[in-house]
Amino acid sequence: MSIAPSKKEQLYQLIATQPFISQQELADQLGLSRSAVAGHIAALIREKRLLGRAYVLPDVRPVVCIGGANIDRKLRTLGPVQMGTSNPVSQHEAFGGVARNIAENLARLGLPTRLLCAVGDDAAGRSMLDHAQSVGIDVKASLQATGMHSGSYTALLNDEGDMVLALAHMECCDALTPDYLHSRQTQRGHAAFTIIDLNLPTDSIGLLLQEAHQQAMPLMVVAVSEPKMARLPQDLHGLRLLLLNQGELAAAVGRRIQSQAELEAACRQLQQRGVQDIIVTKGMAGVTFTTSAADHGMQHMPAPAARVRDATGAGDAFAAGVAWSLCRQPDDLGLACEYGLKLAKLTLESDATVAAIVSPTIFEEA
């Protein structure tokens, strides 16, 4: 014999289908008083099943990405790289930036996604924001900084598609200050997941870590380069996940890492500083990730074979796949790495920084 849902559950279902429904309409449809409706809503908010007006449900909260957005310029040599002389190359330009790339992957995967970035008040900046909106990213909270040039990232790839050298001009990110973040509190609040890259100023990273710790909100930090590991605060309490490569891990702990034992020791050192979990990417060798905060266990997962066309953006795709999975299964980091590696493979086999075939059903097809 089935049991009819309670008035509170009926109210919740009405809000789920009509987020902007008024309390009076709820009262009329359920045969309740306004005060009874208000009491049920207050209970649902305490239970974190609702997040306040306009009755935002947790499963439709956006993933908020904060950090770099720039123009990517990729130069690929037509033969083996020869240093000290001119090399014939092919050239391709696209929209890039770690946070922006992650946001585009997530939007293409069907998640509500919001990007907080800084661009110049120039043609490049306007085109970046227009493109982001066209693929479903909410950029209304982003900053167009007057008098600054939009960021650029120039990568030199060899004839096999591997990076030889990269040059980043990311001064715009310096405008993503704590004051700016405070001014966007409404747009950042109630995020299902927040992802930041280390293009942000140190003080801003510290603020976001502090908020995550105080509010128990999931935060993921994605490294961007070895030099910028200096921006990672010493206190990492509040950090759900740190994603970085082996060179960046070495920079974070201040010593060389030449063995698996040294890698695991470095991860334990970072966990002692407060981070819950760590993923270390190793290119085509796969990833190593933490498996238990209690015993500091670690596990390795090989990368699927890929016919590499262009490595640019593969790490950002991996981060997006991980975040997509954690939004659904927050405690299964192994599964998240599987999805991340699948998305990275699709990107490696594409000429684009974000593969055009990424879609809400791509993991069913991959």
Side-chain angles (χ1 to χ4, degrees):
M1 180 177 178
S2 62
I3 300 174
S6 67
K7 289 293 186 181
K8 186 173 77 169
E9 290 304 315
Q10 292 178 50
L11 179 144
Y12 181 81
Q13 293 303 320
L14 283 172
I15 289 173
T17 56
Q18 304 175 66
F20 289 91
I21 191 170
S22 70
Q23 289 193 10
Q24 187 59 59
E25 289 172 318
L26 288 167
D28 292 342
Q29 292 191 40
L30 295 172
L32 296 172
S33 66
R34 279 283 302 274
S35 61
V37 167
H40 287 316
I41 289 172
L44 290 166
I45 290 173
R46 284 196 302 273
E47 295 167 10
K48 296 186 178 181
R49 297 176 67 193
L50 295 180
L51 303 176
R53 299 282 298 181
Y55 309 131
V56 180
L57 276 67
D59 59 356
V60 296
R61 291 178 292 164
V63 176
V64 175
C65 302
I66 311 175
N70 49 259
I71 300 294
D72 273 351
R73 297 183 177 91
K74 305 175 192 176
L75 306 176
R76 183 167 178 167
T77 61
L78 302 181
V81 175
Q82 299 183 54
M83 305 304 293
T85 187
S86 176
N87 289 261
V89 298
S90 61
Q91 179 172 322
H92 176 73
E93 289 194 4
F95 300 111
V98 172
R100 195 220 68 87
N101 290 347
I102 294 171
E104 182 176 346
N105 275 290
L106 290 172
R108 289 182 180 274
L109 287 170
L111 285 185
T113 306
R114 181 170 296 150
L115 175 64
L116 275 65
C117 66
V119 299
D121 187 16
D122 51 20
R126 289 188 288 274
S127 65
M128 273 191 278
L129 296 183
D130 288 345
H131 176 266
Q133 287 182 308
S134 75
V135 297
I137 304 170
D138 177 358
V139 293
K140 292 189 290 293
S142 288
L143 175 67
Q144 286 188 276
T146 303
M148 295 187 72
H149 294 291
S150 292
S152 65
Y153 172 87
T154 303
L156 173 63
L157 311 176
N158 63 22
D159 55 332
E160 296 180 347
D162 296 320
M163 182 191 298
V164 177
L165 177 70
L167 303 171
H169 177 264
M170 301 297 293
E171 289 181 0
C172 254
C173 287
D174 293 339
L176 300 175
T177 62
D179 285 343
Y180 162 79
L181 293 174
H182 283 305
S183 75
R184 301 302 196 269
Q185 180 61 48
T186 300
Q187 295 90 339
R188 296 191 295 108
H190 302 311
F193 206 89
T194 299
I195 304 170
I196 68 173
D197 68 39
L198 292 185
N199 286 307
L200 291 174
T202 302
D203 289 347
S204 297
I205 297 168
L207 170 66
L208 292 164
L209 277 168
Q210 182 181 46
E211 289 182 350
H213 185 44
Q214 292 174 345
Q215 301 170 22
M217 300 292 286
L219 175 67
M220 173 176 169
V221 169
V222 181
V224 298
S225 69
E226 293 179 31
K228 288 188 177 177
M229 292 309 298
R231 299 187 177 191
L232 189 69
Q234 182 66 28
D235 186 351
L236 299 178
H237 287 89
L239 183 54
R240 168 66 183 87
L241 178 63
L242 175 62
L243 197 161
L244 72 180
N245 64 30
Q246 188 164 315
E248 291 157 349
L249 176 62
V253 297
R255 61 178 183 274
R256 295 176 65 184
I257 296 173
Q258 297 180 302
S259 68
Q260 182 67 18
E262 290 173 340
L263 183 149
E264 294 183 10
C267 288
R268 287 195 295 271
Q269 183 177 334
L270 291 181
Q271 285 185 303
Q272 289 166 1
R273 287 164 53 181
V275 59
Q276 178 179 335
D277 280 306
I278 302 165
I279 301 176
V280 183
T281 60
K282 300 179 177 181
M284 297 309 296
V287 298
T288 295
F289 57 96
T290 51
T291 58
S292 170
D295 61 10
H296 300 299
M298 300 204 73
Q299 182 176 331
H300 180 75
M301 184 177 293
R307 296 183 178 181
V308 179
R309 295 179 62 88
D310 187 339
T312 308
D316 304 333
F318 175 81
V322 167
W324 181 90
S325 182
L326 290 178
C327 284
R328 287 158 172 75
Q329 300 286 339
D331 298 321
D332 195 336
L333 194 58
L335 180 64
C337 287
E338 285 185 31
Y339 282 119
L341 289 169
K342 287 179 181 178
L343 200 61
K345 177 180 184 293
L346 295 175
T347 307
L348 286 167
E349 295 179 338
S350 167
D351 288 321
T353 301
V354 178
I357 62 171
V358 175
S359 72
T361 61
I362 197 67
F363 290 130
E364 300 171 12
E365 302 164 2

